Amino acid sequence: MNQILMTENKKKKEKKSSGPIEIKGIVRFFAFVILIFGLTLIGEGSYAIYKEAEENDPTTMPILTIGRLNDTAVIYVEHTVEISTITYSWNNGEETVLPEGGLTAQETILLPNQNSVLNITVEDMNGKRVNYQKQYNIEGMDITKPVIDVEVEDGNKKMTITATDDTEIAYLSYQWENEEPVIIEPTEEGQFKITEELDLTPGTRKINIIAEDINGNIEKIEKEIVATTSEPTMQLIQNASQIIIEASDEDGLAEIKLNLNGKQYVNKLNGEKNIQLGPVALQEGNNTILVEVTNVSGYTKKASTELQYTP
């Protein structure tokens, strides 16, 4: 009897002790679930912070430079990702979308005639959009570029360059091809005009001329100059039914063209200073004649006439 009671008491004790063991398992399970959930939240939070930091990282942002040239705004964009579009508008006006393509882009925008805000949006191929703004106070701003005047005649030995401005001229520069630029500055304060006379050397060359005023307005021109120390001379001699062309030049002759009644003859020369070409036969009746003589400096002189031939 006592043995039975002892057995029953032992079973009761075993049943009582099983309660805490089951609770510990449940607690451990929920603790594990909460830990996993927490790690997930931490991971998502870390990604969000990383993503935001990446979007605001200056190294991943397009670099925009805005300048002004006369009556235009010049924008230049550099990016590490291909640029998709550049969109701009003045104040809250209509937007203009400029398609791009590449890691750099440059656009010129005409300035309005009143104070305005320039809004610019740059979008790359990944869809990232960055906005920029710049205030332009146009009223009272000098946006008029200087005027450049070049006085030269083909065959002349001198050329005169004049740069004028309605405010104040800053400098005048010129550069012959394959040569260093020459800069001429004003000799006194408040000067509106700079004039420079140049000695020309024989030949045909290009010259680039730049003038800038004190407010940064710039004018540029490129001109081809034909310079020589002499002009070709020509003479047409008729001998009955024939004509002879005599030509000369101190620098040397390069080419003589003869157009007789619509038919053209071209004679290439090797720098001869005096030459006689012909004779060339005339047709009966009226003859139309055009002669072009070109010297080795590229200077061309033309002459035309009509001759009658009656057998």
Side-chain angles (χ1 to χ4, degrees):
M1 186 71 176
N2 291 336
Q3 188 177 0
I4 294 173
L5 289 174
M6 289 178 64
T7 303
E8 288 179 354
N9 289 336
K10 187 177 180 180
K11 288 182 180 180
K12 286 180 182 180
K13 287 180 181 180
E14 289 177 353
K15 289 180 181 180
K16 286 180 181 181
S17 63
S18 64
I21 294 174
E22 293 177 358
I23 292 173
K24 288 181 181 180
I26 294 172
V27 170
R28 288 176 181 173
F29 172 76
F30 279 104
F32 178 75
V33 171
I34 291 171
L35 177 63
I36 297 300
F37 181 67
L39 290 174
T40 303
L41 290 178
I42 292 172
E44 291 182 354
S46 299
Y47 174 77
I49 293 171
Y50 169 75
K51 187 68 175 178
E52 183 180 359
E54 182 185 27
E55 291 179 352
N56 294 326
D57 185 357
T59 61
T60 65
M61 304 275 282
I63 300 173
L64 178 70
T65 304
I66 306 178
R68 183 181 70 85
L69 178 61
N70 304 327
D71 57 350
T72 61
V74 181
I75 61 175
Y76 180 76
V77 183
E78 290 183 83
H79 198 13
T80 56
V81 179
E82 187 173 346
I83 302 165
S84 176
T85 59
I86 296 176
T87 304
Y88 74 89
S89 66
W90 290 105
N91 300 324
N92 296 317
E94 183 179 353
E95 292 186 341
T96 300
V97 180
L98 305 172
E100 301 294 341
L103 301 180
T104 62
Q106 180 172 316
E107 297 292 344
T108 301
I109 304 171
L110 185 66
L111 294 175
N113 55 9
Q114 60 185 359
N115 296 343
S116 302
V117 176
L118 177 61
N119 303 294
I120 301 174
T121 300
V122 179
E123 183 173 353
D124 63 24
M125 289 300 183
N126 294 332
K128 177 187 284 187
R129 296 166 62 91
V130 182
N131 300 318
Y132 303 86
Q133 277 190 339
K134 183 174 178 62
Q135 173 75 43
Y136 277 93
N137 295 319
I138 307 300
E139 295 174 5
M141 180 188 291
D142 174 25
I143 58 175
T144 304
K145 57 188 178 181
V147 176
I148 298 175
D149 181 59
V150 179
E151 294 181 9
V152 64
E153 294 181 4
D154 289 345
N156 203 334
K157 298 179 183 179
K158 290 186 178 293
M159 177 176 70
T160 302
I161 305 172
T162 303
T164 57
D165 188 71
D166 57 352
T167 55
E168 183 179 345
I169 198 76
Y171 70 87
L172 166 69
S173 75
Y174 66 88
Q175 181 181 19
W176 294 104
E177 55 183 317
N178 303 321
E179 293 186 10
E180 293 295 320
V182 178
I183 300 175
I184 302 100
E185 296 180 343
T187 56
E188 57 186 34
E189 188 176 349
Q191 191 169 324
F192 298 98
K193 180 168 68 173
I194 295 178
T195 301
E196 184 74 6
E197 186 177 75
L198 309 180
D199 292 322
L200 301 177
T201 57
T204 301
R205 295 193 299 168
K206 289 183 180 179
I207 187 171
N208 290 289
I209 305 172
I210 302 174
E212 182 174 352
D213 67 16
I214 59 169
N215 295 314
N217 298 300
I218 298 174
E219 172 67 319
K220 299 179 181 180
I221 66 170
E222 183 182 84
K223 190 175 179 67
E224 187 174 79
I225 306 298
V226 179
T228 180
T229 58
S230 65
E231 295 183 13
T233 61
M234 68 185 78
Q235 184 178 8
L236 194 64
I237 302 172
Q238 181 179 3
N239 182 13
S241 63
Q242 298 176 329
I243 58 170
I244 295 174
I245 300 171
E246 292 183 348
S248 63
D249 188 271
E250 292 181 6
D251 293 337
L253 297 165
E255 184 181 75
I256 297 179
K257 291 181 181 179
L258 169 65
N259 189 305
L260 177 60
N261 300 321
K263 186 175 181 179
Q264 182 161 286
Y265 305 86
V266 179
N267 298 273
K268 298 289 185 180
L269 306 174
N270 296 312
E272 295 92 335
K273 294 187 176 182
N274 297 280
I275 195 165
Q276 187 178 80
L277 297 177
V280 181
L282 298 174
Q283 67 182 16
E284 185 176 349
N286 187 60
N287 292 266
T288 302
I289 302 170
L290 172 65
V291 180
E292 295 183 14
V293 180
T294 303
N295 68 9
V296 291
S297 299
Y299 179 62
T300 298
K301 193 168 185 179
K302 301 178 182 180
S304 61
T305 188
E306 291 184 359
L307 292 177
Q308 293 288 333
Y309 168 59
T310 304

